[in-house]
Every structure is written in C-alpha cells, then in structure tokens.
PDB file of all heavy atoms in Angstrom:
ATOM      1  N   GLU A1465     142.660  56.995 -59.770  1.00 90.00           N
ATOM      2  CA  GLU A1465     141.643  55.975 -59.514  1.00 90.00           C
ATOM      3  C   GLU A1465     141.633  54.941 -60.635  1.00 90.00           C
ATOM      4  O   GLU A1465     141.525  53.741 -60.387  1.00 90.00           O
ATOM      5  CB  GLU A1465     140.264  56.623 -59.382  1.00 90.00           C
ATOM      6  CG  GLU A1465     139.151  55.632 -59.154  1.00 90.00           C
ATOM      7  CD  GLU A1465     137.776  56.278 -59.081  1.00 90.00           C
ATOM      8  OE1 GLU A1465     137.681  57.508 -58.939  1.00 90.00           O
ATOM      9  OE2 GLU A1465     136.787  55.527 -59.168  1.00 90.00           O
ATOM     10  N   ALA A1466     141.779  55.395 -61.870  1.00 90.00           N
ATOM     11  CA  ALA A1466     141.807  54.476 -63.014  1.00 90.00           C
ATOM     12  C   ALA A1466     143.043  53.580 -62.956  1.00 90.00           C
ATOM     13  O   ALA A1466     142.941  52.361 -63.142  1.00 90.00           O
ATOM     14  CB  ALA A1466     141.795  55.268 -64.323  1.00 90.00           C
ATOM     15  N   ARG A1467     144.198  54.149 -62.701  1.00 92.00           N
ATOM     16  CA  ARG A1467     145.442  53.358 -62.660  1.00 92.00           C
ATOM     17  C   ARG A1467     145.418  52.336 -61.531  1.00 92.00           C
ATOM     18  O   ARG A1467     145.729  51.163 -61.729  1.00 92.00           O
ATOM     19  CB  ARG A1467     146.656  54.272 -62.514  1.00 92.00           C
ATOM     20  CG  ARG A1467     147.035  54.998 -63.783  1.00 92.00           C
ATOM     21  CD  ARG A1467     148.391  55.668 -63.651  1.00 92.00           C
ATOM     22  NE  ARG A1467     148.470  56.567 -62.515  1.00 92.00           N
ATOM     23  CZ  ARG A1467     148.041  57.831 -62.503  1.00 92.00           C
ATOM     24  NH1 ARG A1467     147.513  58.346 -63.598  1.00 92.00           N
ATOM     25  NH2 ARG A1467     148.154  58.577 -61.433  1.00 92.00           N
ATOM     26  N   VAL A1468     145.050  52.781 -60.353  1.00 91.00           N
ATOM     27  CA  VAL A1468     145.033  51.889 -59.192  1.00 91.00           C
ATOM     28  C   VAL A1468     143.952  50.814 -59.366  1.00 91.00           C
ATOM     29  O   VAL A1468     144.199  49.630 -59.123  1.00 91.00           O
ATOM     30  CB  VAL A1468     144.809  52.688 -57.888  1.00 91.00           C
ATOM     31  CG1 VAL A1468     144.551  51.772 -56.724  1.00 91.00           C
ATOM     32  CG2 VAL A1468     146.015  53.578 -57.610  1.00 91.00           C
ATOM     33  N   GLY A1469     142.779  51.221 -59.803  1.00 87.00           N
ATOM     34  CA  GLY A1469     141.683  50.276 -59.983  1.00 87.00           C
ATOM     35  C   GLY A1469     141.979  49.198 -61.006  1.00 87.00           C
ATOM     36  O   GLY A1469     141.503  48.068 -60.882  1.00 87.00           O
ATOM     37  N   SER A1470     142.770  49.517 -62.011  1.00 90.00           N
ATOM     38  CA  SER A1470     143.092  48.524 -63.038  1.00 90.00           C
ATOM     39  C   SER A1470     144.134  47.518 -62.558  1.00 90.00           C
ATOM     40  O   SER A1470     144.285  46.450 -63.142  1.00 90.00           O
ATOM     41  CB  SER A1470     143.585  49.212 -64.309  1.00 90.00           C
ATOM     42  OG  SER A1470     144.855  49.797 -64.086  1.00 90.00           O
ATOM     43  N   ARG A1471     144.843  47.836 -61.491  1.00 92.00           N
ATOM     44  CA  ARG A1471     145.897  46.946 -60.984  1.00 92.00           C
ATOM     45  C   ARG A1471     145.436  46.001 -59.882  1.00 92.00           C
ATOM     46  O   ARG A1471     146.126  45.045 -59.563  1.00 92.00           O
ATOM     47  CB  ARG A1471     147.059  47.786 -60.454  1.00 92.00           C
ATOM     48  CG  ARG A1471     147.780  48.524 -61.545  1.00 92.00           C
ATOM     49  CD  ARG A1471     148.971  49.261 -60.992  1.00 92.00           C
ATOM     50  NE  ARG A1471     149.612  50.018 -62.041  1.00 92.00           N
ATOM     51  CZ  ARG A1471     149.971  51.286 -61.940  1.00 92.00           C
ATOM     52  NH1 ARG A1471     149.776  51.937 -60.820  1.00 92.00           N
ATOM     53  NH2 ARG A1471     150.550  51.889 -62.954  1.00 92.00           N
ATOM     54  N   ILE A1472     144.290  46.290 -59.295  1.00 91.00           N
ATOM     55  CA  ILE A1472     143.799  45.460 -58.195  1.00 91.00           C
ATOM     56  C   ILE A1472     142.957  44.324 -58.768  1.00 91.00           C
ATOM     57  O   ILE A1472     142.000  44.554 -59.505  1.00 91.00           O
ATOM     58  CB  ILE A1472     142.953  46.296 -57.208  1.00 91.00           C
ATOM     59  CG1 ILE A1472     143.805  47.393 -56.588  1.00 91.00           C
ATOM     60  CG2 ILE A1472     142.346  45.392 -56.141  1.00 91.00           C
ATOM     61  CD1 ILE A1472     143.016  48.370 -55.740  1.00 91.00           C
ATOM     62  N   HIS A1473     143.328  43.110 -58.425  1.00 90.00           N
ATOM     63  CA  HIS A1473     142.582  41.939 -58.882  1.00 90.00           C
ATOM     64  C   HIS A1473     142.004  41.250 -57.655  1.00 90.00           C
ATOM     65  O   HIS A1473     142.690  40.500 -56.971  1.00 90.00           O
ATOM     66  CB  HIS A1473     143.489  40.994 -59.675  1.00 90.00           C
ATOM     67  CG  HIS A1473     144.093  41.657 -60.871  1.00 90.00           C
ATOM     68  ND1 HIS A1473     143.361  41.906 -62.009  1.00 90.00           N
ATOM     69  CD2 HIS A1473     145.325  42.150 -61.095  1.00 90.00           C
ATOM     70  CE1 HIS A1473     144.132  42.519 -62.892  1.00 90.00           C
ATOM     71  NE2 HIS A1473     145.324  42.680 -62.358  1.00 90.00           N
ATOM     72  N   SER A1474     140.747  41.560 -57.365  1.00 90.00           N
ATOM     73  CA  SER A1474     140.076  41.026 -56.195  1.00 90.00           C
ATOM     74  C   SER A1474     138.583  40.950 -56.466  1.00 90.00           C
ATOM     75  O   SER A1474     138.028  41.824 -57.138  1.00 90.00           O
ATOM     76  CB  SER A1474     140.319  41.928 -54.981  1.00 90.00           C
ATOM     77  OG  SER A1474     139.480  41.573 -53.907  1.00 90.00           O
ATOM     78  N   GLU A1475     137.943  39.926 -55.945  1.00 86.00           N
ATOM     79  CA  GLU A1475     136.493  39.821 -56.095  1.00 86.00           C
ATOM     80  C   GLU A1475     135.765  40.885 -55.281  1.00 86.00           C
ATOM     81  O   GLU A1475     134.566  41.088 -55.429  1.00 86.00           O
ATOM     82  CB  GLU A1475     136.008  38.433 -55.690  1.00 86.00           C
ATOM     83  CG  GLU A1475     136.237  38.109 -54.225  1.00 86.00           C
ATOM     84  CD  GLU A1475     135.827  36.699 -53.861  1.00 86.00           C
ATOM     85  OE1 GLU A1475     136.472  35.761 -54.341  1.00 86.00           O
ATOM     86  OE2 GLU A1475     134.855  36.570 -53.095  1.00 86.00           O
ATOM     87  N   HIS A1476     136.496  41.615 -54.445  1.00 84.00           N
ATOM     88  CA  HIS A1476     135.905  42.639 -53.579  1.00 84.00           C
ATOM     89  C   HIS A1476     136.064  44.054 -54.127  1.00 84.00           C
ATOM     90  O   HIS A1476     135.607  45.010 -53.508  1.00 84.00           O
ATOM     91  CB  HIS A1476     136.522  42.556 -52.180  1.00 84.00           C
ATOM     92  CG  HIS A1476     136.401  41.202 -51.575  1.00 84.00           C
ATOM     93  ND1 HIS A1476     135.199  40.686 -51.123  1.00 84.00           N
ATOM     94  CD2 HIS A1476     137.321  40.237 -51.377  1.00 84.00           C
ATOM     95  CE1 HIS A1476     135.397  39.472 -50.663  1.00 84.00           C
ATOM     96  NE2 HIS A1476     136.670  39.171 -50.806  1.00 84.00           N
ATOM     97  N   VAL A1477     136.734  44.188 -55.265  1.00 86.00           N
ATOM     98  CA  VAL A1477     136.990  45.502 -55.860  1.00 86.00           C
ATOM     99  C   VAL A1477     136.564  45.462 -57.319  1.00 86.00           C
ATOM    100  O   VAL A1477     136.908  44.529 -58.055  1.00 86.00           O
ATOM    101  CB  VAL A1477     138.490  45.874 -55.757  1.00 86.00           C
ATOM    102  CG1 VAL A1477     138.767  47.220 -56.417  1.00 86.00           C
ATOM    103  CG2 VAL A1477     138.939  45.877 -54.308  1.00 86.00           C
ATOM    104  N   VAL A1478     135.815  46.460 -57.747  1.00 89.00           N
ATOM    105  CA  VAL A1478     135.360  46.519 -59.133  1.00 89.00           C
ATOM    106  C   VAL A1478     136.568  46.638 -60.069  1.00 89.00           C
ATOM    107  O   VAL A1478     137.546  47.325 -59.769  1.00 89.00           O
ATOM    108  CB  VAL A1478     134.372  47.698 -59.332  1.00 89.00           C
ATOM    109  CG1 VAL A1478     135.055  49.040 -59.186  1.00 89.00           C
ATOM    110  CG2 VAL A1478     133.679  47.607 -60.661  1.00 89.00           C
ATOM    111  N   GLU A1479     136.504  45.933 -61.206  1.00 91.00           N
ATOM    112  CA  GLU A1479     137.596  45.945 -62.175  1.00 91.00           C
ATOM    113  C   GLU A1479     137.445  47.130 -63.131  1.00 91.00           C
ATOM    114  O   GLU A1479     136.383  47.339 -63.728  1.00 91.00           O
ATOM    115  CB  GLU A1479     137.586  44.649 -62.989  1.00 91.00           C
ATOM    116  CG  GLU A1479     138.650  44.607 -64.060  1.00 91.00           C
ATOM    117  CD  GLU A1479     138.521  43.397 -64.976  1.00 91.00           C
ATOM    118  OE1 GLU A1479     137.536  42.641 -64.868  1.00 91.00           O
ATOM    119  OE2 GLU A1479     139.416  43.227 -65.812  1.00 91.00           O
ATOM    120  N   VAL A1480     138.500  47.924 -63.270  1.00 94.00           N
ATOM    121  CA  VAL A1480     138.534  49.007 -64.255  1.00 94.00           C
ATOM    122  C   VAL A1480     139.047  48.390 -65.552  1.00 94.00           C
ATOM    123  O   VAL A1480     140.149  47.859 -65.607  1.00 94.00           O
ATOM    124  CB  VAL A1480     139.448  50.165 -63.809  1.00 94.00           C
ATOM    125  CG1 VAL A1480     139.548  51.219 -64.905  1.00 94.00           C
ATOM    126  CG2 VAL A1480     138.923  50.792 -62.522  1.00 94.00           C
ATOM    127  N   VAL A1481     138.229  48.428 -66.628  1.00 93.00           N
ATOM    128  CA  VAL A1481     138.607  47.784 -67.882  1.00 93.00           C
ATOM    129  C   VAL A1481     139.176  48.755 -68.906  1.00 93.00           C
ATOM    130  O   VAL A1481     139.870  48.344 -69.836  1.00 93.00           O
ATOM    131  CB  VAL A1481     137.426  46.988 -68.490  1.00 93.00           C
ATOM    132  CG1 VAL A1481     137.029  45.844 -67.569  1.00 93.00           C
ATOM    133  CG2 VAL A1481     136.242  47.875 -68.773  1.00 93.00           C
ATOM    134  N   ASP A1482     138.914  50.052 -68.746  1.00 94.00           N
ATOM    135  CA  ASP A1482     139.466  51.056 -69.658  1.00 94.00           C
ATOM    136  C   ASP A1482     139.263  52.434 -69.038  1.00 94.00           C
ATOM    137  O   ASP A1482     138.450  52.600 -68.129  1.00 94.00           O
ATOM    138  CB  ASP A1482     138.774  50.986 -71.020  1.00 94.00           C
ATOM    139  CG  ASP A1482     139.626  51.559 -72.150  1.00 94.00           C
ATOM    140  OD1 ASP A1482     140.746  52.051 -71.878  1.00 94.00           O
ATOM    141  OD2 ASP A1482     139.177  51.524 -73.299  1.00 94.00           O
ATOM    142  N   ALA A1483     139.985  53.396 -69.529  1.00 95.00           N
ATOM    143  CA  ALA A1483     139.861  54.774 -69.057  1.00 95.00           C
ATOM    144  C   ALA A1483     140.377  55.706 -70.142  1.00 95.00           C
ATOM    145  O   ALA A1483     141.138  55.293 -71.017  1.00 95.00           O
ATOM    146  CB  ALA A1483     140.649  54.976 -67.767  1.00 95.00           C
ATOM    147  N   GLY A1484     139.966  56.953 -70.062  1.00 94.00           N
ATOM    148  CA  GLY A1484     140.438  57.918 -71.042  1.00 94.00           C
ATOM    149  C   GLY A1484     139.817  59.278 -70.827  1.00 94.00           C
ATOM    150  O   GLY A1484     139.187  59.545 -69.810  1.00 94.00           O
ATOM    151  N   VAL A1485     140.004  60.120 -71.834  1.00 94.00           N
ATOM    152  CA  VAL A1485     139.436  61.465 -71.843  1.00 94.00           C
ATOM    153  C   VAL A1485     138.756  61.644 -73.193  1.00 94.00           C
ATOM    154  O   VAL A1485     139.370  61.412 -74.240  1.00 94.00           O
ATOM    155  CB  VAL A1485     140.528  62.538 -71.648  1.00 94.00           C
ATOM    156  CG1 VAL A1485     139.939  63.933 -71.749  1.00 94.00           C
ATOM    157  CG2 VAL A1485     141.247  62.343 -70.328  1.00 94.00           C
ATOM    158  N   ASP A1486     137.479  62.019 -73.172  1.00 93.00           N
ATOM    159  CA  ASP A1486     136.739  62.251 -74.408  1.00 93.00           C
ATOM    160  C   ASP A1486     137.356  63.420 -75.163  1.00 93.00           C
ATOM    161  O   ASP A1486     137.535  64.514 -74.596  1.00 93.00           O
ATOM    162  CB  ASP A1486     135.263  62.536 -74.091  1.00 93.00           C
ATOM    163  CG  ASP A1486     134.444  62.698 -75.344  1.00 93.00           C
ATOM    164  OD1 ASP A1486     134.138  61.676 -75.973  1.00 93.00           O
ATOM    165  OD2 ASP A1486     134.119  63.858 -75.686  1.00 93.00           O
ATOM    166  N   LYS A1487     137.698  63.211 -76.426  1.00 93.00           N
ATOM    167  CA  LYS A1487     138.376  64.247 -77.222  1.00 93.00           C
ATOM    168  C   LYS A1487     137.517  65.482 -77.456  1.00 93.00           C
ATOM    169  O   LYS A1487     138.022  66.595 -77.484  1.00 93.00           O
ATOM    170  CB  LYS A1487     138.818  63.665 -78.567  1.00 93.00           C
ATOM    171  CG  LYS A1487     139.920  62.656 -78.449  1.00 93.00           C
ATOM    172  CD  LYS A1487     140.291  62.084 -79.800  1.00 93.00           C
ATOM    173  CE  LYS A1487     141.332  60.985 -79.627  1.00 93.00           C
ATOM    174  NZ  LYS A1487     141.685  60.359 -80.892  1.00 93.00           N
ATOM    175  N   GLN A1488     136.224  65.308 -77.618  1.00 93.00           N
ATOM    176  CA  GLN A1488     135.347  66.440 -77.909  1.00 93.00           C
ATOM    177  C   GLN A1488     135.044  67.285 -76.681  1.00 93.00           C
ATOM    178  O   GLN A1488     134.986  68.510 -76.767  1.00 93.00           O
ATOM    179  CB  GLN A1488     134.051  65.960 -78.538  1.00 93.00           C
ATOM    180  CG  GLN A1488     134.238  65.395 -79.919  1.00 93.00           C
ATOM    181  CD  GLN A1488     132.928  64.927 -80.532  1.00 93.00           C
ATOM    182  OE1 GLN A1488     131.920  64.773 -79.845  1.00 93.00           O
ATOM    183  NE2 GLN A1488     132.945  64.687 -81.825  1.00 93.00           N
ATOM    184  N   THR A1489     134.837  66.635 -75.537  1.00 90.00           N
ATOM    185  CA  THR A1489     134.408  67.381 -74.347  1.00 90.00           C
ATOM    186  C   THR A1489     135.519  67.586 -73.319  1.00 90.00           C
ATOM    187  O   THR A1489     135.376  68.407 -72.423  1.00 90.00           O
ATOM    188  CB  THR A1489     133.253  66.649 -73.640  1.00 90.00           C
ATOM    189  OG1 THR A1489     133.737  65.379 -73.164  1.00 90.00           O
ATOM    190  CG2 THR A1489     132.071  66.447 -74.575  1.00 90.00           C
ATOM    191  N   GLY A1490     136.601  66.798 -73.420  1.00 90.00           N
ATOM    192  CA  GLY A1490     137.656  66.857 -72.418  1.00 90.00           C
ATOM    193  C   GLY A1490     137.267  66.174 -71.117  1.00 90.00           C
ATOM    194  O   GLY A1490     137.949  66.314 -70.107  1.00 90.00           O
ATOM    195  N   MET A1491     136.182  65.402 -71.133  1.00 93.00           N
ATOM    196  CA  MET A1491     135.651  64.744 -69.946  1.00 93.00           C
ATOM    197  C   MET A1491     136.378  63.427 -69.673  1.00 93.00           C
ATOM    198  O   MET A1491     136.356  62.533 -70.508  1.00 93.00           O
ATOM    199  CB  MET A1491     134.161  64.475 -70.137  1.00 93.00           C
ATOM    200  CG  MET A1491     133.483  63.866 -68.954  1.00 93.00           C
ATOM    201  SD  MET A1491     133.228  65.038 -67.634  1.00 93.00           S
ATOM    202  CE  MET A1491     132.209  66.252 -68.440  1.00 93.00           C
ATOM    203  N   PRO A1492     137.024  63.287 -68.504  1.00 96.00           N
ATOM    204  CA  PRO A1492     137.629  62.012 -68.137  1.00 96.00           C
ATOM    205  C   PRO A1492     136.554  60.968 -67.843  1.00 96.00           C
ATOM    206  O   PRO A1492     135.478  61.300 -67.339  1.00 96.00           O
ATOM    207  CB  PRO A1492     138.418  62.333 -66.858  1.00 96.00           C
ATOM    208  CG  PRO A1492     138.578  63.807 -66.865  1.00 96.00           C
ATOM    209  CD  PRO A1492     137.362  64.338 -67.542  1.00 96.00           C
TER     210      PRO A1492
END
C-alpha cells in the first residue's frame, strides 16, 4: 500500500509522503 500509494499522482488519491517501521515497536 505504501509503495503503490507513493507512485500514484492524482487529485483523487491520497499522497503517501513517507513510510516505515518503528524501531522500538516493530509497528509499520
């Protein structure tokens, strides 16, 4: 979802500006 969302450039799709996994909790 993060990879695909960051590649779509449309006013109809929310822009993904960053993504990751929290080092302390392992939470994406």
Side-chain angles (χ1 to χ4, degrees):
E1465 178 182 346
R1467 284 191 305 277
V1468 170
S1470 69
R1471 292 184 183 132
I1472 298 173
H1473 301 285
S1474 169
E1475 64 183 67
H1476 305 288
V1477 178
V1478 68
E1479 177 187 6
V1480 175
V1481 296
D1482 203 358
V1485 176
D1486 183 76
K1487 291 178 185 178
Q1488 292 180 345
T1489 64
M1491 183 74 60

